[in-house]
Amino acid sequence: MRFCSECGAPLEDRVPAGDDRSRRVCTRCERVHYQNPLVVVGCLVERGDELLLCRRAIEPGYGKWTTPAGFLELGETLAAGACRETFEEAGADVEVLAPHSQLDLTHIGQHYAMFRARMQSERLAPGDESLECRFFRAAEIPWGELAFPAVHFALRLLLDDRTVGRRHVHHARLRWSGAGSRFDAANYVIEDHLKTPLG
């Protein structure tokens, strides 16, 4: 943002009085323009032991696989947004079963809220942002072709829960090493992992 939405004057970066960090501040009317993290919501849709993935028809990650997910809209709950994104990207009508993971990517100002969900019908129809959608067994997941590190970690955590035979709600920070691609999960470590059993 370069200009004030109130008066149109240029913005500058400075620490406002009483604040503890630099903000975008209007050089004329002094309005502070806050920048806050974006929330990404999505579903880990399970059908028996299979998981739903969509192959992206848009950048970033064109042609790569992801879970159905996208940015939360104003006026939506996290779960409603996750269901909407799943319908938009996969044409799938789903029911949210439980929260699964909250993953913080502070280096890009994003917070992922992922939910476990199940199909309400068998219908799948790729939306405008998907080339195709299909279910994968765990052994078939194309790990090297996943679009986003948060999706990689959410899927790993879900499969880890299956291995131990107990569901959890996960909260963690995904820290980028600062080297290599920000889209490669190998360049991330999971930190401050909280694992709360369900039920």
Side-chain angles (χ1 to χ4, degrees):
M1 192 173 193
R2 296 175 54 207
F3 299 98
C4 180
S5 58
E6 285 292 310
C7 71
L11 302 179
E12 66 180 9
D13 291 321
R14 70 171 190 258
V15 179
D19 208 331
D20 64 351
R21 66 195 68 202
S22 183
R23 311 278 188 188
R24 301 292 284 159
V25 181
C26 180
T27 55
R28 183 186 303 147
C29 73
E30 299 288 313
R31 178 171 179 170
V32 179
H33 294 270
Y34 294 95
Q35 295 174 301
N36 301 107
L38 295 171
V39 178
V40 177
V41 289
C43 287
L44 301 169
V45 183
E46 298 174 280
R47 187 180 69 182
D49 64 347
E50 298 177 309
L51 289 159
L52 177 64
L53 296 179
C54 302
R55 198 156 67 92
R56 288 176 62 80
I58 58 172
E59 294 292 355
Y62 181 91
K64 295 196 171 187
W65 293 91
T66 185
T67 55
F71 292 114
L72 185 69
E73 299 283 1
L74 291 174
E76 283 185 320
T77 65
L78 295 172
C83 290
R84 174 189 52 77
E85 285 289 342
T86 302
F87 187 79
E88 288 178 1
E89 295 185 6
D93 180 20
V94 298
E95 174 190 12
V96 164
L97 300 174
H100 173 264
S101 49
Q102 300 168 1
L103 302 173
D104 297 318
L105 287 81
T106 57
H107 64 289
I108 55 172
Q110 290 184 1
H111 172 84
Y112 275 70
M114 303 295 285
F115 293 85
R116 284 182 43 245
R118 69 177 166 211
M119 300 285 286
Q120 299 268 64
S121 74
E122 289 302 307
R123 180 183 182 272
L124 276 183
D128 292 342
E129 296 183 4
S130 300
L131 296 169
E132 62 177 308
C133 303
R134 59 176 279 233
F135 281 91
F136 290 82
R137 294 185 187 278
E140 303 168 334
I141 292 173
W143 295 105
E145 299 174 45
L146 295 178
F148 306 111
V151 168
H152 177 101
F153 280 91
L155 289 169
R156 286 282 186 208
L157 292 170
L158 183 72
L159 296 177
D160 288 349
D161 282 354
R162 284 185 183 178
T163 298
V164 299
R166 185 155 196 195
R167 302 287 188 176
H168 297 86
V169 177
H170 301 269
H171 181 268
R173 176 186 179 198
L174 299 183
R175 183 175 59 79
W176 178 46
S177 68
S181 170
R182 288 189 295 116
F183 294 98
D184 186 348
N187 297 326
Y188 285 77
V189 293
I190 190 166
E191 296 182 330
D192 305 321
H193 184 192
L194 303 174
K195 207 161 82 163
T196 306
L198 280 174

